[in-house]
Amino acid sequence: MTSSPKAAPITMTPPRPTTIVESPRLSRKLGVDIVLASETLQYTGSFKFRAAYNVASNVSQDHIITASSGNFGQAIAYACSLFGKRCTVVMPATAPKVKVDAVREYGAEVDLVDVGKKGRLERLGELAKQYPAAYVASPYDDPFVIDGNAGLATELFDLGLDLDFIIAPIGGGGLTSGLVKAVERSGSKTQVLAAEPLLANDAAESFRAGHIVSKPEEGATIADGARVLRMGDRNWEILSHGLAGVIEVTEEQIKEGVRLLFALANLKAEPTGALALGAVLAEPKRFKGKRVCCVISGGNADPAQYAKLIEGI
Amino acid sequence: MTSSPKAAPITMTPPRPTTIVESPRLSRKLGVDIVLASETLQYTGSFKFRAAYNVASNVSQDHIITASSGNFGQAIAYACSLFGKRCTVVMPATAPKVKVDAVREYGAEVDLVDVGKKGRLERLGELAKQYPAAYVASPYDDPFVIDGNAGLATELFDLGLDLDFIIAPIGGGGLTSGLVKAVERSGSKTQVLAAEPLLANDAAESFRAGHIVSKPEEGATIADGARVLRMGDRNWEILSHGLAGVIEVTEEQIKEGVRLLFALANLKAEPTGALALGAVLAEPKRFKGKRVCCVISGGNADPAQYAKLIEGI
């Protein structure tokens, strides 16, 4: 933050309300009444800040440790800085450079792991032993995380949006389980759907199997925020009875989602953030004429990768 | 628009309130307390819709004709469609293809002019003769346009933002003259500054000369929305006594503005939309520690050009 001579008079209490974007051109093109709930302008650039702020403001520990492919790392780093807490983030050495840099810039320590040699959770366990007084926060399998994410759906209901579907990306299940909880509390008939990369479809397989399926290795999807081995136990407990389904999205549909958001909604989304729109592309008939909210979960795209995605539009 | 089975319950009355984005990383990097007022998510992707809506809703004519390098064209096309009016837009044959396509998609007729052979205003005059019952709207030199744009500053004051400066791009002067009018009405001490490409600096030269200076040809700036020969008479009347100054921005500063908005604020801005941030880069000492609102005027960037701008970040 800068040393401003004046106090900021507008309410800065995090999290930032979601940014609703309605693009008539996008809706017309898809034949779907699309409402975009963009978290790309959220603090630290993704919905993860909702969860991180809820964790940092609720736990008593002065040191928070987590493992994150990036966005939760940035979010918890910034949230900890707001509360003067120490923060350590375990990240895969393959994480986009912009995300690693951002975590450090927000004041956290980054612990890079070669995930080919050692799992991130294994390394997290080592750190937990090294710092027994620290709070170990899962980016998804944590009650504060799930409650923090629930706030997004509550905002949608408070806006009076009368939605047939809310579609959100799924990795560990933190966002979708928060949304499901909020929808259940509201008594609304809106259905929550998860959008998952076909190349990292542990959630879809879990629903087909009726129990949590764990992948042997992370899927090579462009949607790096959805590269997890398995969803969390708390998340499965909520999702297994509350989620309306999982839509598997191809890499090409994810990329087309990024391009459509750029071209028709002026939104800079990262690939994971375009998963929900990719799900509409994957099942166009299901959503024809329906009112569908796509949660654009984050915008922290790698510049070189993003440039390549849009140059051919 | 789609045929939704339900009415949209949220207020859809245009224009959309501006989107305020505060990026701690951007503010820290520049040492300036930056508030971004983004019009990239405005209907049709730029602030021009504010003016266009005000024109279309106020004039009695059923046919509106204008000349526009693109964004006012899209805006007036969409605004006319909302009121069931016919719309003709004169555009230079060199305008970005995405802008020409969008004007057509919003239902207007596009009249392409080879500006090397015939001026846009000359062609507009021909059309005005051909359609004597039509309303000829200047994208900037029109009282409804100026009043429509004034609404943006009124919103900023209603938010209680206590700003030292508002910086906005200048082409014909429609946006800045609206902002100046609103600031004067409010009695605020906030200063309004115009950001202009050095390569198309007719406004800066006008201020130096004390009268409107007209350029012999359009400047070859990347900020295509600011390529005008001279500002409007009504605009000069307001700006000559109300504007705090014009900042000339180099092409490299405009490009760096686009990159910073992408990297640190998750905003997709077109080059003209990055002029205000470019002005902060041009005069860093002037804004040190000040609270500065940069109006990000539009987001309708050409994909190939945009990809080239960001790939090297």
Side-chain angles (χ1 to χ4, degrees):
Chain A
M1 300 292 217
T2 61
S3 55
S4 167
K6 295 165 192 167
I10 57 168
T11 305
M12 288 288 288
T13 311
R16 177 193 173 94
T18 200
T19 304
I20 299 293
V21 179
E22 306 208 36
S23 163
R25 290 175 75 197
L26 184 61
S27 289
R28 191 167 42 211
K29 185 179 177 73
L30 301 178
V32 180
D33 188 6
I34 297 271
V35 179
L36 304 171
S38 180
E39 290 284 294
T40 62
L41 304 179
Q42 182 56 265
Y43 294 91
T44 72
S46 85
F47 79 97
K48 295 276 187 180
F49 182 76
R50 296 175 176 273
Y53 187 84
N54 209 40
V55 171
S57 61
N58 277 293
V59 305
S60 58
Q61 287 87 338
D62 293 327
H63 184 188
I64 296 177
I65 303 177
T66 195
S68 162
S69 65
N71 277 337
F72 188 70
Q74 292 184 46
I76 197 82
Y78 185 50
C80 283
S81 79
L82 295 177
F83 292 96
K85 298 190 175 192
R86 183 179 172 190
C87 183
T88 308
V89 181
V90 177
M91 299 181 78
T94 52
K97 185 176 177 302
V98 286
K99 293 191 175 179
V100 176
D101 289 350
V103 170
R104 290 196 172 122
E105 206 181 308
Y106 285 121
E109 302 147 38
V110 173
D111 192 286
L112 287 177
V113 177
D114 180 345
V115 290
K117 292 180 183 162
K118 187 188 285 187
R120 279 186 277 170
L121 295 181
E122 190 184 339
R123 177 62 188 149
L124 189 63
E126 291 174 4
L127 285 172
K129 275 187 192 158
Q130 192 179 334
Y131 302 108
Y135 182 83
V136 179
S138 161
Y140 41 90
D141 194 356
D142 178 300
F144 295 121
V145 163
I146 295 169
D147 274 347
N149 291 333
L152 173 54
T154 306
E155 283 174 24
L156 297 177
F157 292 122
D158 287 350
L159 286 170
L161 294 169
D162 189 12
L163 303 166
D164 296 306
F165 296 99
I166 300 173
I167 313 179
I170 190 165
L175 176 54
T176 44
S177 52
L179 297 174
V180 163
K181 272 190 77 172
V183 169
E184 286 176 351
R185 278 200 295 256
S186 77
S188 156
K189 288 189 174 167
T190 302
Q191 295 195 322
V192 178
L193 288 166
E196 186 175 50
L198 183 61
L199 289 186
N201 64 346
D202 62 284
E205 292 194 357
S206 299
F207 272 80
R208 283 192 282 268
H211 57 80
I212 297 181
V213 170
S214 189
K215 292 277 187 175
E217 56 187 30
E218 289 184 0
T221 173
I222 191 175
D224 58 280
R227 288 183 203 139
V228 295
L229 301 183
R230 51 160 280 179
M231 75 170 79
D233 293 324
R234 282 183 188 78
N235 311 100
W236 173 249
E237 199 182 310
I238 296 166
L239 295 173
S240 56
H241 64 81
L243 195 71
V246 181
I247 297 175
E248 292 162 275
V249 186
T250 66
E251 297 297 292
E252 191 41 52
Q253 287 158 348
I254 297 171
K255 292 176 185 174
E256 184 63 11
V258 171
R259 288 190 284 257
L260 287 172
L261 291 169
F262 177 93
L264 301 181
N266 275 351
L267 283 178
K268 174 205 168 195
E270 60 185 274
T272 309
L275 267 168
L277 189 58
V280 174
L281 299 173
E283 300 199 8
K285 282 185 192 160
R286 181 174 190 168
F287 301 111
K288 203 87 185 169
K290 301 292 185 186
R291 189 153 169 85
V292 179
C293 176
C294 292
V295 178
I296 312 304
S297 58
N300 300 327
D302 180 74
Q305 185 189 63
Y306 192 83
K308 219 172 157 187
L309 280 176
I310 61 158
E311 68 186 356
I313 293 180
Chain B
M1 301 290 217
T2 62
S3 55
S4 169
K6 295 165 193 167
I10 57 169
T11 306
M12 289 287 288
T13 311
R16 176 192 174 94
T18 200
T19 304
I20 299 293
V21 178
E22 305 207 37
S23 162
R25 290 176 74 198
L26 184 61
S27 289
R28 191 166 44 210
K29 185 179 178 74
L30 301 178
V32 180
D33 189 6
I34 297 270
V35 179
L36 304 170
S38 181
E39 289 285 293
T40 63
L41 304 178
Q42 182 56 266
Y43 293 90
T44 71
S46 85
F47 79 96
K48 296 275 189 181
F49 181 76
R50 295 174 177 274
Y53 187 84
N54 209 40
V55 171
S57 62
N58 277 293
V59 305
S60 58
Q61 288 87 338
D62 292 328
H63 183 190
I64 295 177
I65 304 177
T66 195
S68 162
S69 65
N71 276 338
F72 188 70
Q74 291 184 45
I76 197 81
Y78 185 49
C80 284
S81 79
L82 295 177
F83 293 96
K85 298 190 174 191
R86 183 179 173 190
C87 184
T88 308
V89 181
V90 177
M91 298 182 77
T94 53
K97 186 176 176 300
V98 285
K99 294 190 175 180
V100 177
D101 289 349
V103 170
R104 289 196 172 124
E105 207 181 308
Y106 285 122
E109 301 147 38
V110 174
D111 191 286
L112 286 177
V113 177
D114 181 345
V115 289
K117 293 181 183 161
K118 186 187 288 186
R120 278 185 277 171
L121 295 181
E122 189 184 339
R123 177 62 188 150
L124 190 63
E126 291 175 4
L127 285 172
K129 275 187 193 157
Q130 192 180 336
Y131 302 108
Y135 182 84
V136 180
S138 161
Y140 42 90
D141 194 356
D142 179 299
F144 295 121
V145 163
I146 295 170
D147 274 348
N149 292 333
L152 173 54
T154 306
E155 283 175 23
L156 297 178
F157 293 123
D158 288 350
L159 286 170
L161 293 169
D162 189 13
L163 302 166
D164 295 307
F165 297 99
I166 300 173
I167 313 179
I170 189 165
L175 176 54
T176 44
S177 52
L179 297 174
V180 163
K181 271 189 77 171
V183 169
E184 286 175 350
R185 277 199 297 256
S186 77
S188 156
K189 288 189 175 170
T190 302
Q191 295 195 322
V192 178
L193 289 165
E196 186 175 50
L198 182 61
L199 289 185
N201 63 348
D202 62 284
E205 292 194 357
S206 299
F207 272 80
R208 282 192 283 267
H211 58 79
I212 297 181
V213 170
S214 189
K215 294 273 188 177
E217 56 185 32
E218 288 185 0
T221 172
I222 191 175
D224 58 279
R227 287 183 205 140
V228 294
L229 301 183
R230 52 159 279 176
M231 75 170 79
D233 294 322
R234 281 182 188 79
N235 311 100
W236 173 248
E237 198 183 310
I238 296 167
L239 295 174
S240 55
H241 65 81
L243 195 71
V246 180
I247 297 175
E248 292 162 275
V249 186
T250 67
E251 295 299 291
E252 191 42 52
Q253 287 158 348
I254 297 171
K255 292 175 186 174
E256 184 63 11
V258 171
R259 288 191 284 257
L260 286 171
L261 291 169
F262 177 93
L264 301 182
N266 275 351
L267 283 178
K268 175 206 167 194
E270 60 184 274
T272 309
L275 267 168
L277 190 57
V280 174
L281 299 174
E283 300 199 8
K285 282 185 192 160
R286 181 174 190 168
F287 301 111
K288 203 87 186 168
K290 302 290 186 187
R291 190 154 169 84
V292 179
C293 176
C294 292
V295 177
I296 312 304
S297 58
N300 299 328
D302 180 73
Q305 184 189 64
Y306 192 83
K308 220 172 157 186
L309 281 176
I310 62 158
E311 68 186 355
I313 294 180

